[in-house]
Amino acid sequence: MNEGQQSLFSFMRQEQDKLISQTLTHIGLTFISLIIAVAIGLPLGILIANKRKLSGTVLGIAGVFQTIPSIALLGFLIPVLGIGAKPAIFALLLYALLPIIRNTYTGIIEVNPAIKEAAKAMGMGYWQILFQVDIPLAMPVILAGIRTATVINVGVATLASLIAAGGLGEFIFGGISLNNTNMILAGAIPAALLAIIFDFLLSQVQHLNIKRVRDVTMALPVILLIFAGFYLIPSAYAGKLTAGFTPEFMGRRDGDLGLRDKYGLKIHTVVISDAVMYKAAYEKHLDVISGYSTDGRLKAYDLVVLQDDKGIFPPYYAAPIVSAEALKKFPQLESTLNMLSGHITDSIMTELNYRVDYLHQSPEKVAHDFLVDKGLFKPATEATGETVRIGSKIFGEQYILAEMYTMLIRGYTNYNVSTKTGLGGTKICFEALTNNQIDLYPEYTGTGLLVMLQADKSITDTLTDKDKVYNYVKQQFKTKYNIEWLKPIGFNNAYALMMRKKQANELNIQTISDLKRYLESK
Amino acid sequence: MIKVEHLSKHYGKLHAVDGISFEVNEGENLILLGTSGCGKTTTLKMLNRLIEPTSGKIFINGRNIVEQQPEELRRGIGYVLQDTGLFPHYTVAENIAIVPNLLKWDKKRIADRTFELVEKLNLSRSHLKLYPAQLSGGQQQRVGLARALVADPSVLLMDEPFGALDPVTRFNIRQEFKDLDELKRKTIIMVTHDVQEAFELGDRICLMDKGRIVQAGTPVELLFKPANDFVTGFLKEQRLLLEFKAVTLNDIWDLLPNIKTRSSKNAINCNCTVWETLKIITSQKENAVAATNPINKETKTITFTQLMSTFNQYQNSEAV
Ligand SMILES: Nc1ncnc2c1ncn2[C@@H]1O[C@H](COP(=O)(O)OP(=O)(O)OP(=O)(O)O)[C@@H](O)[C@H]1O
Ligand SMILES: [Mg+2]
């Protein structure tokens, strides 16, 4: 946290254009989905207020939609709606539906029956009663529902960036994976402000007197439409091929920047979460993606790595990083963790990942089988000591490594182990370590060099092989963060560009230079 | 004219209304009276098809109501509810204009008629811009009445229209109601469980119990020729007051002693009830009042004691 407040403002000023377009996209996403949710939710609410028998079912289903975790929902939607605006709007719409249906329903059934009866007795028909009595009288409650839905949507819309639909989530998730606090805040603060502002505005509308509510009811659709218009649908599909890169890849020198500098590659690119990226490639919504060379999903989704013929993706070691305090506190820890060193080569790691990602074996089983195979496995001893806390990021390889370390510590020491797997991104893992929430997690020297230390080009140019990088990172982490890099595990980790095997063959693309050539051909 | 034939409404085993028949003549005021749950509201709502009967027929102005569009039927029938049912999001003027708007009256006609009613119902024009919540209970009830009367329907249905008001307001509104010329021409069915109200306002009364009509007749008939013990019991508590209010000078005219009268100048009409006459007598210095029989132009002077003894005589002769 060496960036002060000053630099947050300078960051925002520097990224002003992006910030404005992301904010507008965010507002647009929120309101497009809101309009559709109102268009569906209002009639549904009215329907179930008339046919009460249906109310349980409809509200139940809308309630279930809300409990589906957003990232899972986005994953489900790829085969049907692809990536970009459509699935994002659809997901947002599902989340907004419940408050709107429920409040419409409640608002209407709570209209004083004597008033409805009077309306009927005076000779008003069904639609006249609906539009002149039910809806106006239910309007404050309906508005409260729309207000809730708006605030939910502003929040959930940050997730749109996971599926290449843009919005303020681009900064937030980019900042998380690039260890850039200013970037996170540049996304989070406007998002929070939007929520507060819209909540306030709608609360004002809600508390207007009866007469004014009528005018506002007329004006509301217009206002919603104007806001929705902010969404200039980002073209998730355009050009010959589409690339989907993770926020981290976008911001790293050995990522997108390198592709542009060294290869001069110009490809239509969207930002997407690595959780859905592989699937999107498999479903043909993306053609080129950024991944790790050892990732099991490579094989699982029948993808092929494009040769890095100009060498912009240097290989890096993977090794556990441990806080120095933990090493002091647990004297046997270092030697236990180092037992794994040298046992896992690139091909072994790819194979292990494949078993988790494609064969869907549990990381625990995969880790256990491997340790038994190498003669390293020992049944857990009785744990009498203190607890070692192991962290991991959210993908198969990290889960497997965390399981292996757990088993080794349980077998060879009397320490207790707790695992905190699934720490969302590099920044979250690293912050957990520096803030003494975990004691260790597996990390890659390239990430240490470019993301944590953010080393200058002048320094990286001198680090010509992976051992030099390892030594530099080890020494810097020790002095800067009091964190130790233990022995490298053995396998190399490097970024890679991937394509579907079939498409790569058809287009005759084997290297990144082939890709460039293809893109430039007419 | 309203004619009801063998009307029933059953909710499962419950016979809310159980085969009732009655007629209301044009300009007549019929009261449905009875204890809570005896089926008064159900009967009333079947008349404007808010409730569809299980069996039976209803004719309004000679037409079977099932042959009419419910909306059209209802636009021709005024309806007043206990808790007014005013639209809280409409101003008083807008509330009154609901039916005229449904009938597509032009603006001027609506405004003229509204002003007319506002005057007749002792409201002020400044009320027209207000919302119902800004009015007192009595004023709300007047607006409710105005809303029902605005299109000048020939039939008016009222379900405990004064039920939600405090006794004083209730009494005053009832007086105004009696004097309202708009209502004199209308065929009215009014529901109440207030015996006083029934006797004060009703030309005829239908006393109901458990979905059936126990007795239908004029107030005097109910009092002095009760059909059974239920009727007697129902009226017992307030009997004296009811009798004072039901019996007019006409009824006892022949029994009144023929005392020479000084002048017929300030004489009251024979349609006055005994109750009204008593009130006038007690407000006079000489404790007496002159009354004229419009039929034979005979004028008699009545004192308090004479009136009371004559009334007693009448009670004894009627209650056989
Ligand atoms: N929709 C319904 N379903 C079942 N029973 C009903 C329904 N409406 C009315 N009832 C029953 O029918 C009977 C008559 O009801 P109604 O409302 O006509 O009584 P009421 O004479 O108007 O009484 P009150 O003086 O209390 O208003 C009551 O026993 C009531 O419970
Ligand atoms: Mg009733």
Side-chain angles (χ1 to χ4, degrees), chain B residues 162-210:
Chain B
F162 313 122
L165 304 176
D166 66 272
V168 176
T169 316
R170 197 169 167 157
F171 179 81
N172 291 336
I173 282 206
R174 225 149 64 192
Q175 292 307 312
E176 292 170 21
F177 183 83
K178 271 201 289 193
D179 298 338
L180 206 61
D181 65 343
E182 291 255 347
L183 295 173
K184 302 227 160 89
R185 296 174 272 125
K186 296 202 185 304
T187 309
I188 301 176
I189 298 187
M190 185 173 127
V191 164
T192 182
H193 54 239
D194 180 330
V195 183
Q196 293 277 351
E197 197 164 282
F199 275 69
E200 233 173 76
L201 302 179
D203 293 324
R204 281 193 307 128
I205 297 171
C206 265
L207 181 60
M208 292 180 67
D209 183 39
K210 295 186 189 124

Side-chain angles (χ1 to χ4, degrees), chain A residues 117 120 123 132 211 214, chain B residues 45 74-75 79 89 131:
Chain A
E117 181 166 87
K120 205 172 165 191
Q132 290 172 38
K211 184 86 183 170
R214 261 196 260 172
Chain B
K45 285 185 185 170
R74 290 173 192 144
R75 284 171 203 172
Y79 187 65
H89 57 307
Y131 287 91

Side-chain angles (χ1 to χ4, degrees), chain A residues 437-501:
Chain A
Q437 299 299 307
I438 57 174
D439 297 313
L440 66 110
Y441 76 93
E443 188 51 281
Y444 311 92
T445 52
T447 308
L449 180 70
L450 296 169
V451 177
M452 272 75 128
L453 297 172
Q454 311 204 329
D456 276 347
K457 197 163 161 27
S458 57
I459 294 171
T460 54
D461 283 349
T462 65
L463 305 171
T464 43
D465 67 52
K466 46 189 177 180
D467 289 314
K468 280 188 182 148
V469 173
Y470 177 79
N471 289 331
Y472 175 79
V473 168
K474 184 178 167 73
Q475 177 257 324
Q476 287 287 315
F477 266 57
K478 178 74 188 138
T479 49
K480 269 196 175 156
Y481 312 115
N482 205 19
I483 288 173
E484 287 286 352
W485 284 77
L486 301 190
K487 279 195 195 162
I489 302 167
F491 65 93
N492 292 304
N493 168 284
Y495 266 128
L497 286 194
M498 307 169 181
M499 293 181 70
R500 284 184 302 284
K501 206 178 262 170

